[in-house]
Each structure stands twice: as structure tokens, then as C-alpha cells.
Amino acid sequence: WALGERWLQDADALLLRVGDPPRARAFLLEEIASLRFEQGRFAESVTVLEECVAIWEREAGPRHQMVALAKGQLARGLFQSGRYDDAAVAFEEALAITQEQLGRKHPWAAAILNGLAVVEAIRGNTEESVRKFEESVALLEVVHGADHPRVAQARGNLGIAYMNAGRHDEAVAVQERALEDTRRRFGDEDTRVAFNLSNLGLALANTKRRDEAVPRLREALTLREKILEPDHPAIATSAQDLGRVLFDLGRGEEGESYVRRALEIRERKAFNDHETAISALALARIVAAQTRPAEAIRLAERSVELREKVFGADQPELLESLKLLAELQPEKREQLQARIEEIESGQGAPK
């Protein structure tokens, strides 16, 4: 990241020397936004991408394909900033321009449909989310063929949508197909295989087949440990998923160790404050269940602190952490409950 920051600063200085041609600046802004996104600085990425969209609209026209690309990136930033309605609008605009300029069967359309499906899931429109994921898979099959890795990844996303819709058996079947396709294409030692193993493990856990889920989640973690650097964010994700399922199986100490490892990686790398907040809350719940309230309170407060940093003080993403704090602190319950009710009365569904 430090190297990337220096490169972008040098590029910005060069643009100033040559007169800052607008299209070159738009490309530079896309790189800056991408770096901010990877750093978890989503609000900053939105500001940068809004300027990028404005440049492309002015230079190429409001219906140009580069406007569609920039709006799709903007939609991702808006989504990660918790601005779900704005994200949906940006995705819809990007989809309309893409279909108009590049055709309804272009790969960009499938990617945008995938983003729209995620937004609809967050907004509580579960069936609409499933429909858009199914449309994305069908489109990718036409563009790339049924055995293409992008299709396998899209099937994994569809499986998650089926889980959210309570269609657990369908979710397991789709994830098994995605894993089979990915293994056939890339072999057993590939990060995409780990991704599909993780999704299958979570699908099995949601069908209460936790004993079957654990080997898949453990295999995903072992594979990522073999391929990736020790503090990679994907290792934190795998450790957390495995730890939560182990805890649900009554293996509290073992489950806690994995979730704690996930939190330590995320705190150490400072990769994404929102993901760190999720880990802190997961560990807080495990610790609270083991009657260690002081540590649970500290972890839940850390989760609130991080989510306030990312989303603001009055957003629904804070609700889970605040509700746990209210359970753990009877002396502050009335004050916390008032804050919870204020957020619930003015906001939509949490992320």
C-alpha cells in the first residue's frame, strides 16, 4: 500500500505537469479509488469515484460505456459505505448503460447483476436477490460456458442467496456443483477451491449438518494457510467461520481460539475496519457465553467503535453490537436501548 500511495502521488504530480488531461485523470482516480477500497476507506473511495463519473460524463457523454464502468465501481463503494439505496440506483444506471452500449449478454452486465443481487439481499428483498443471482449465472453460462471459473464463482454466490432465502438443500447442491467445477478446472490446491469449500461448509452448517461442515471449513483454512501469507485476510475469514461452527457444536475453547486468531490478524493488518468489527463481535458473543462479561464488553465496545468509524454513529450496522452491550450491562441498558430504538426508527435493514 505504501508503494501504491507513492506511485499514485508521482502519477498525480506528472498529470499536473502535463496539464492534467481529463481522461488520464479519470484513469488515475480509478486507481486511487481502488486503493482506498482495498484499505477499507470506502467513503473516500466514493468521493473519488463521484469525480471520476463526472469526468467521464463530461468527456465521453452520459451514456458512454466508461460511465457504466465508473458507476459500477461507485456502486460498490456506496454499498460498502452502507448507502444501500444509493448503491442500488448506481448499479441500475450502470446496468442500463451497459446493456444499451454493449448488449444484454456482455460480462459487465453479469457483474452488475451480481452487485444488484447483493444489494437486494441486504435490503431484505430475498427473492429478488435470488432472481438476480440466477440471471447472472445464466448470463455467464451463455458468455463463458457452463464450466468456466467465473460461472463456478457465480454459482457460489447463488448458493449463498439460497441460504439467505432458507432454501438450504438447494444451497448445498449449488455449492457442491461449484466446488466440483472449480476442482476440475484448477486442481485441489487453488484459492478458488478454498473459497468454494468455505461456502459449502457454511451451507452445510446452515442445514444443521455442522459435523459435515467442520471438515470442509478446516480444509479451506488449511489450503489457504498453504497458499497465502500467514496474515492474509482470507485466512482470518476461514478461521472465523470454522471457529463459529465449532462453538455452535459446543466446542467452546477450540472455537474461541480460531475466532480470536481471526481478530488478531485483522487488528494487526488493519485491512478492513468493518471486517475487524465483525470478528470483535463474534468473539464477544463467544466470551459472553463463557461468562466472561468484562472481556465481552470490551470486545463489543471495540466493535461499536470500528463500525462508527466506517458507517457513522446512527447507522443500523451498529445494532448487533449495541444489543449485546445492552444485555451485558444492565446498568446502561436503558440508555443503550434508547439509542437502539432511535437507530431502528430511522434506518433500514443492517448490513
Side-chain angles (χ1 to χ4, degrees):
W1 285 340
L3 181 62
E5 290 280 4
R6 288 197 298 272
W7 182 87
L8 291 172
Q9 288 169 3
D10 291 344
D12 199 26
L14 178 61
L15 284 180
L16 290 173
R17 286 199 298 272
V18 301
D20 197 14
R23 295 193 180 202
R25 178 160 184 79
F27 284 121
L28 176 62
L29 289 171
E30 289 172 4
E31 295 297 328
I32 293 172
S34 178
L35 181 61
R36 296 289 176 264
F37 196 93
E38 292 300 321
Q39 292 170 325
R41 296 159 63 179
F42 303 121
E44 292 177 49
S45 77
V46 167
T47 300
V48 172
L49 285 166
E50 286 173 337
E51 182 182 351
C52 182
V53 169
I55 290 173
W56 282 119
E57 287 180 331
R58 186 172 62 250
E59 293 296 315
R63 308 303 290 179
H64 193 273
Q65 65 190 50
M66 292 306 297
V67 175
L69 179 62
K71 284 195 173 186
Q73 294 171 324
L74 173 61
R76 290 178 64 225
L78 290 165
F79 173 81
Q80 291 292 349
S81 300
R83 295 168 58 182
Y84 308 124
D85 291 342
D86 292 337
V89 171
F91 273 131
E92 292 282 7
E93 290 173 349
L95 181 62
I97 297 171
T98 298
Q99 291 176 334
E100 175 186 311
Q101 298 297 326
L102 302 173
R104 301 186 67 85
K105 295 181 180 181
H106 195 275
W108 284 11
I112 295 167
L113 281 167
N114 187 81
L116 266 172
V118 175
V119 173
E120 294 299 347
I122 296 305
R123 296 163 88 192
N125 301 326
T126 306
E127 291 304 322
E128 180 65 15
S129 173
V130 168
R131 189 185 68 78
K132 282 186 163 56
F133 274 126
E134 289 174 335
E135 191 176 346
S136 177
V137 170
L139 177 53
L140 285 169
E141 286 180 337
V142 170
V143 172
H144 297 296
D147 292 333
H148 194 276
R150 288 187 180 176
V151 177
Q153 184 177 13
R155 284 200 190 100
N157 292 334
L158 175 59
I160 294 171
Y162 284 150
M163 281 194 288
N164 292 336
R167 296 161 64 175
H168 300 304
D169 291 337
E170 290 174 89
V172 170
V174 167
Q175 299 294 6
E176 287 176 336
R177 168 78 184 279
L179 176 60
E180 178 185 337
D181 290 346
T182 304
R183 273 187 160 145
R184 183 170 57 250
R185 182 96 178 195
F186 298 105
D188 289 330
E189 296 189 357
D190 188 276
T191 54
R192 284 160 286 204
V193 172
F195 173 78
N196 291 127
L197 279 166
S198 181
N199 282 346
L200 177 56
L202 294 174
L204 289 166
N206 276 315
T207 61
K208 309 302 181 186
R209 294 160 62 183
R210 296 189 181 97
D211 287 324
E212 296 176 62
V214 168
R216 271 75 170 190
L217 294 171
R218 201 182 294 279
E219 185 180 354
L221 175 58
T222 300
L223 183 53
R224 283 170 166 163
E225 288 173 331
K226 185 174 183 179
I227 297 172
L228 303 171
E229 62 185 46
D231 280 354
H232 194 280
I235 291 178
T237 299
S238 275
Q240 181 165 300
D241 290 341
L242 176 58
R244 292 168 79 165
V245 174
L246 288 168
F247 180 76
D248 289 342
L249 282 168
R251 296 158 64 176
E253 289 186 9
E254 188 180 4
E256 178 184 338
S257 69
Y258 282 108
V259 176
R260 191 176 296 278
R261 179 185 175 193
L263 177 59
E264 288 172 352
I265 291 173
R266 286 171 169 160
E267 290 279 20
R268 189 160 54 244
K269 297 294 283 187
F271 175 77
N272 183 315
D273 286 335
H274 180 48
E275 295 294 334
T276 306
I278 291 172
S279 293
L281 181 60
L283 186 57
R285 285 180 169 145
I286 290 174
V287 169
Q290 297 184 68
T291 62
R292 288 146 55 194
E295 184 181 3
I297 289 168
R298 178 182 62 78
L299 289 163
E301 287 176 340
R302 176 63 173 153
S303 179
V304 170
E305 174 191 353
L306 290 166
R307 282 176 163 164
E308 285 179 335
K309 181 180 176 183
V310 175
F311 299 107
D314 59 351
Q315 296 301 308
E317 286 78 12
L318 276 68
L319 287 172
E320 289 181 295
S321 304
L322 291 172
K323 287 177 180 179
L324 180 59
L325 281 173
E327 292 176 17
L328 295 169
Q329 297 176 291
E331 72 282 3
K332 296 183 179 180
R333 187 167 297 157
E334 184 176 344
Q335 175 187 352
L336 288 165
Q337 189 60 38
R339 185 177 177 188
I340 289 166
E341 290 173 2
E342 182 179 355
I343 292 174
E344 288 180 330
S345 66
Q347 301 295 333
K351 184 173 179 180

